Amino acid sequence: MASFSLNTDREALLSFESQMSQNPQSLSFSWDPNTSPCNWTGVTCDTRIRRVASINLSGHGLSGSISPSIGNLSFLTSLQLQNNQLRGPIPKEITNLFRLRVLNLSSNSLDGSLPSNLSKLIELRALDLTSNMITGIVPNQLGDLKNLTILNLGKNLLHGPIPPSLSNISSLTVLSLGTNSLSGPVPNELGRLQRLQVLDLTINNLSGTIPPSIYNMSSLESLVIASNNFWGQFPSNIGYTLPKLLVFNVCFNKFSGEIPASLYNLTNIKVIRAAHNLLEGTIPSGLGNLPFLEMYNIGFNKLGVIPVSIGNLPKNLSKLFMGGNRFTGIIPESIGDLTGLTLFNISDNSLTGEIPQDIGRLKGLQVLELARNQLTGRIPDSIGDLGALNEINLSHNKLQGRIPPSFENFKNMLSMDLSSNMLNGSIPNGVLNLPSLNISRLESLVSLDLSINNFSGHIPSSIKDCQSLEKLNMAGNNLDGPIPDALAEVKGLEFLDLSSNQLSGVIPPRLQDLQAMKFLNISFNNLEGWVPNRGVFKDRSKAYMEGNPKLCIHTCRKTRTHRKLLKVSVITCAVEYGLGEKPSQAGDVYSFGVMLLELLSGKSPMDERFEGDQNLISWISYGFQSNAIMEVIDPKLKGLIDVSGAQLHAKLDCLKKTIEVGLACTAYAASERMKMRNVLRLLKEAKGMLIKGN
């Protein structure tokens, strides 16, 4: 009888293998039907009863579907098929395996809904179906699996509510339902799971407040509820009611109130992530009480004032994210004490003063983000000591002077953004040193943005040594001389903006051979000669060259003809009014739009810079679409916008909305122009944005 039973297992396994035959070359094993299944790869037998007890074929390149014959392995206690390419539904026959304790089918492409009778697997301890494409709802019957300790259903396509019946599984230690489309509130009953250590509900459509019972689960070590629609305040005693907490992740919700001071009594906590909420107040004291903290992310809230004691954070803290708040004052010198940092982001605040010299002590720092503040002074030489740095963003501040010579130490730099400051200096041939940053040392550089500063001199031909460069933006400076022909040797270049400088000479013909180029802007310089007609130059939506009066596009006479036509059209319009013609409503809207764009740009439609096919409307439209509106507005308006934090965002939003109205009023086809009632409504909205921001 035992031999017959083993034969039954053999036949079931061979049937299972046959379902994989659709892609046999991916299989990393084969089973010999003439040998005992107990000797087959991934199969383990119970030697006492000589039956198959375990199958572990994780990461074996399995494809195809799971055969229903798997349900005939009646003595199976463990089935592990994770990390393969299995597809199709989970066969309902799998629920015949009433001795099964471990079922792991994670990281496949299984679809369909969960078998409704999974509750028959009463011995099940671990059910892991993470990272598949399983649909439907979480069955209520799962609550009958009274011996379950691990339930992982994350990263699927499940929808509907979290069944309160899950609270019946008193032995549960891990409940992971993250990255699905679950909705509704968190059941209060889940608080009865007094052995639960991990609760992961992240990235769903859950809403409401978190039940108080959840904050009283004293066994909880990881509370991850990010990216939902939760709101409300955290209880002030959270640090006492969740004494074992190691991971606290509540990002991307609508939590309000202050960060509870008791949170800093959790001396073993490793991760605090509360970014993108509505938290306000100050950072509580006690940061130095968290010796094992590795990540502290409180970005994009309404927090203010950076405590001087920030340097008391643990030395092994690797990620400190505080951007997008209302922090004022200076960056404390004590930041240099956090020698374990790999990421420091405090962008999008209202910080003033200079960048502290002690920041150069953060030798392991890889990402430094100080953008969109009001920092002044020079860039400290000590930043060049950060040899591990691969990303630096100091843009949109008020930094002055030259780039330190020590910047040539950046061997691993991938992205450097110093745009929108008041930096100056020349660029000698062979050295992008500003004053002495050697381009050839930055061979790994992918993105370099030096736009909207006061840099002068020539663009060095040594730019060709940056063979990894994909984006180069030097717009809005005082650069002169020719566009270096050596740029054509940077074969991976996708984005090149040299607009609004004083560059002269011809466009290097070899630029048209850059196959990767997707965007080119060399407008508003002093370039001359013929425009290449291949590559990126073929598409005028990708190549911008206006504002170079001496450039020949098709024929050099076209520019003069266009200007004459513009004047004729204006005169014709005036004659029609003079003859008593009743102007159309669309014509009035168009005139209003032109007037609005004139006010915003400080430019007349007859401005000399508008040559060739370029006009006031297309010029502003380009700036709007390429996210460069600060380059096309009146300099007087720029002065009014020179703030940061919430006021900056409000003024920019108001400006964008107003430009959008102007462009909608000047659509080419009269039928596409905005109605005046909508114009009035949108302008009122823009005004409201401004008032709210102030």
Side-chain angles (χ1 to χ4, degrees), residues 359-384:
I359 209 164
R361 294 167 54 199
L362 307 178
K363 304 298 185 185
L365 200 64
Q366 299 172 17
V367 178
L368 176 61
E369 296 267 356
L370 306 179
R372 292 173 294 280
N373 280 286
Q374 299 180 46
L375 300 172
T376 55
R378 295 176 174 269
I379 299 174
D381 292 341
S382 62
I383 286 186

Side-chain angles (χ1 to χ4, degrees), residues 524-537:
F524 303 107
N525 280 288
N526 299 314
L527 301 170
E528 58 186 53
W530 295 95
V531 175
N533 56 13
R534 290 186 288 110
V536 72
F537 294 95

Side-chain angles (χ1 to χ4, degrees), residues 436-469:
S436 59
L437 175 59
N438 193 328
I439 269 195
S440 62
R441 299 281 186 92
L442 296 176
E443 295 177 356
S444 62
L445 194 65
V446 174
S447 175
L448 177 62
D449 192 341
L450 303 176
S451 63
I452 315 179
N453 278 288
N454 298 317
F455 295 126
S456 57
H458 292 11
I459 300 173
S461 58
S462 57
I463 191 76
K464 69 180 186 298
D465 295 326
C466 292
Q467 284 299 303
S468 299
L469 200 61

Side-chain angles (χ1 to χ4, degrees), residues 10 51 184 238 242 247 262 294 345 461 476 527 529 604 606 648 686:
R10 176 189 287 108
R51 295 295 301 269
I238 189 172
L242 299 177
V247 176
S262 66
E294 298 171 3
N345 187 329
S461 58
L527 301 170
S604 163
M606 302 296 294
L648 172 62

Side-chain angles (χ1 to χ4, degrees), residues 161-219:
I162 300 173
S165 61
L166 295 182
S167 63
N168 296 331
I169 314 174
S170 58
S171 55
L172 209 58
T173 60
V174 174
L175 176 58
S176 177
L177 304 175
T179 316
N180 279 288
S181 297
L182 301 175
S183 57
V186 176
N188 181 61
E189 291 87 344
L190 290 187
R192 299 209 304 258
L193 298 173
Q194 290 304 307
R195 296 182 183 177
L196 199 66
Q197 298 171 8
V198 175
L199 177 60
D200 184 354
L201 306 177
T202 190
I203 313 179
N204 277 291
N205 298 316
L206 300 166
S207 58
T209 59
I210 301 299
S213 61
I214 301 297
Y215 294 122
N216 286 317
M217 302 171 75
S218 58
S219 59

Side-chain angles (χ1 to χ4, degrees), residues 141-153:
Q141 294 90 333
L142 287 182
D144 295 334
L145 299 175
K146 299 296 175 54
N147 292 308
L148 205 61
T149 59
I150 296 174
L151 177 58
N152 286 341
L153 303 178

Side-chain angles (χ1 to χ4, degrees), residues 247-259:
V247 176
F248 181 65
N249 185 352
V250 297
C251 293
F252 293 97
N253 281 290
K254 298 174 183 176
F255 291 112
S256 57
E258 298 189 352
I259 300 175

